[in-house]
Amino acid sequence: MAAESGKIDPMHQFEVTPLGGGFNLGGHEVLFTNSALWMVIAAIALGLFMWGGMRRQLVPGRWQAAVEGFTGFISNMMIANIGTEGRKYTPYVFSLFMFILFCNLLGMLPLGVLGLHPFTVTSHIAITGVLALISFAIVLVVGFWRHGLHFFSLFVPHGTPLPMIPIIAPIEFVSFMVRPFSLGLRLFVAMTAGHVLLKVLSGFVINGFNAETLWLGSIVSVLSFILMIGISALELLVAGIQAYVFALLTSLYINDAVNLH
Amino acid sequence: MPQIAQLTADNWYLASQLFWLLVVFAGIYLVIGRGMLPKIEATVDARDRKVADDLAAAKAAHAAADNLEESYRQQSDASRAAAQKAVAAAKDKAAKDAEKRLAKVDAELSEKLAAAEAGVAAARKSAMAEIESVAADAAGDLVAKLSGVKVAAADAKAAVKAVLHG
């Protein structure tokens, strides 16, 4: 990708670099990395955002209304998908949604202008995969806790004719087991692809102005820059949508475990 | 691709990634998900309940006002009906009184009339009797003057009576 650009490597933004503070945990060295830094920044930004909505006024101000918009969005989604029992799982899904959303959006910050390197935490499958596995583990624990071995009837959809069960059940089982992978992969791929695309286009902008035939290079640069503006807007949308999809699918999977069929 | 490269077991930063993710996400879950979110939801719920209560109170007040207006209307209807009844009764009484007085006056008048008629009849009768006796006297005198025959007073009287009464 962008081979002719020489120095501009669109994958460089995904590199994890140590920032120090290492200690040993069970034979593995744990370092404070730029990835960890951006997770902490996301957590602090989220904490500040939520803290601004804690004034608990009867008539909310703008900030409180914004925070209540987010909480209401998630709790309505939980109630719509799971029922009133879904409120129990709202703290987890809300944390998930807000963490992913803030990581996605912070990764989009144009801090490169200031010489800093924003890092998109959610563009790493190690992160999204673990979040997906946590969701999947909750589904399994809740499902077996509430329904015991009867939870396996999830693999037999309601009204399946008896002779079809040996064929349907393995398919359902595979589609169930694929869930954590598809859940983690979807977010990782969307974030990675968007950021690679933006970096490739920005490489075009820079190399266009550095080209030997400046008039042609300028045309390429300007067109690429216009495209970048549009794609940046699209990426902001994707950042919100991917966080929503992750939370929505998690709530649907939890619904399977809570309300088996 | 650093994302895939870190999934190999000997990668130096996979452990850091997982450790910090779990620490940060657990922190978010405990502080924000368990700590702040329920308070915000409680605020929203309290507001929703307050709005619902206020709406219910407004509805109740509206119903009470409707009832009040209805009872006021009924009361005014009733008092109007009572007033009309009183007026009608007064009118009725007045009419009856007038009738009674009229009847009384009527009776008095007819009594007076009857008395007057009786007086007239008596006067007429006495006048008739007087006329009879005067006529009988005059007839007797006339007969005596014309024929020199003395007519008995009783005869003259009978003859006059026959003439007078046809």
Side-chain angles (χ1 to χ4, degrees):
Chain A
M1 261 179 252
E4 79 279 14
S5 63
K7 275 182 272 180
I8 297 164
D9 174 15
M11 301 313 282
H12 177 70
Q13 59 178 325
F14 302 120
E15 295 287 354
V16 178
T17 50
L19 299 174
F23 60 93
N24 202 306
L25 187 83
H28 295 283
E29 200 184 16
V30 173
L31 294 165
F32 192 74
T33 61
N34 58 343
S35 173
L37 174 68
W38 283 94
M39 286 185 224
V40 172
I41 290 173
I44 291 171
L46 176 56
L48 287 176
F49 176 67
M50 295 296 286
W51 176 75
M54 295 283 289
R55 253 161 285 174
R56 316 196 66 174
Q57 284 164 333
L58 183 63
V59 178
R62 287 181 195 197
W63 198 325
Q64 192 184 342
V67 174
E68 282 172 5
F70 277 101
T71 62
F73 174 64
I74 294 297
S75 63
N76 286 343
M77 186 181 84
M78 297 305 281
I79 288 168
N81 287 337
I82 304 178
T84 44
E85 242 181 304
R87 297 201 81 151
K88 237 190 317 184
Y89 307 97
T90 308
Y92 170 67
V93 176
F94 183 76
S95 307
L96 196 61
F97 174 74
M98 294 307 271
F99 178 62
I100 294 172
L101 182 67
F102 271 66
C103 287
N104 289 354
L105 290 177
L106 287 173
M108 289 291 297
L109 285 180
L111 294 179
V113 177
L114 305 174
L116 301 169
H117 290 284
F119 181 89
T120 314
V121 179
T122 42
S123 67
H124 278 246
I125 192 164
I127 305 293
T128 61
V130 168
L131 293 177
L133 283 174
I134 295 172
S135 292
F136 190 66
I138 288 173
V139 170
L140 288 180
V141 169
V142 171
F144 282 113
W145 185 273
R146 289 178 64 97
H147 303 290
L149 293 180
H150 193 63
F151 184 53
F152 283 112
S153 71
L154 183 68
F155 303 132
V156 182
H158 205 63
T160 311
L162 199 64
M164 294 294 283
I165 287 177
I167 306 166
I168 297 281
I171 295 173
E172 288 287 325
F173 178 71
V174 169
S175 84
F176 180 77
M177 293 310 286
V178 159
R179 280 175 180 182
F181 299 101
S182 65
L183 195 59
L185 212 58
R186 184 181 296 111
L187 177 58
F188 148 65
V189 166
M191 287 300 118
T192 303
H195 282 269
V196 167
L197 185 58
L198 284 177
K199 285 298 181 296
V200 169
L201 284 172
S202 59
F204 286 170
V205 174
I206 293 164
N207 289 322
F209 284 126
N210 290 336
E212 282 175 35
T213 46
L214 190 58
W215 66 272
L216 188 62
S218 301
I219 292 171
V220 170
S221 292
V222 169
L223 288 179
S224 298
F225 190 69
I226 292 168
L227 193 58
M228 259 188 90
I229 294 171
I231 289 178
S232 294
L234 184 70
E235 283 304 309
L236 287 175
L237 188 69
V238 168
I241 287 174
Q242 287 300 328
Y244 171 59
V245 166
F246 204 108
L248 177 69
L249 287 175
T250 299
S251 77
L252 289 175
Y253 296 160
I254 292 174
N255 176 47
D256 276 349
V258 174
N259 303 318
L260 196 60
H261 296 313
Chain B
M1 209 171 177
Q3 292 102 313
I4 304 296
Q6 72 184 281
L7 297 182
T8 54
D10 56 344
N11 186 279
W12 65 266
Y13 57 74
L14 180 63
S16 327
Q17 290 273 67
L18 301 184
F19 173 79
W20 285 108
L21 172 65
L22 293 178
V23 167
V24 170
F25 191 68
I28 288 176
Y29 176 71
L30 291 175
V31 175
I32 289 166
R34 286 256 168 233
M36 290 167 143
L37 179 70
K39 283 181 190 150
I40 291 170
E41 282 193 317
T43 310
V44 174
D45 287 349
R47 180 183 311 127
D48 288 352
R49 209 174 313 120
K50 177 126 176 57
V51 167
D53 286 356
D54 286 0
L55 278 179
K59 208 177 251 176
H62 196 258
D66 275 358
N67 278 345
L68 209 63
E69 196 193 331
E70 178 68 24
S71 74
Y72 165 76
R73 213 162 48 77
Q74 273 173 1
Q75 225 164 2
S76 87
D77 277 1
S79 53
R80 191 175 303 131
Q84 266 168 2
K85 210 163 137 194
V87 166
K91 250 188 208 167
D92 213 34
K93 200 176 159 228
K96 254 181 208 155
D97 276 4
E99 214 170 283
K100 221 184 264 171
R101 228 178 304 150
L102 211 63
K104 204 172 148 198
V105 170
D106 228 18
E108 269 169 29
L109 282 178
S110 56
E111 213 169 278
K112 253 185 216 169
L113 196 64
E117 264 171 8
V120 166
R124 195 165 157 195
K125 210 173 174 184
S126 70
M128 218 53 147
E130 245 166 81
I131 281 174
E132 251 173 56
S133 64
V134 168
D137 283 354
D141 286 353
L142 276 177
V143 170
K145 261 183 197 164
L146 287 176
S147 59
V149 181
K150 267 231 182 211
V151 180
D155 286 348
K157 217 170 204 171
V160 166
K161 212 173 220 167
V163 170
L164 271 178
H165 294 290

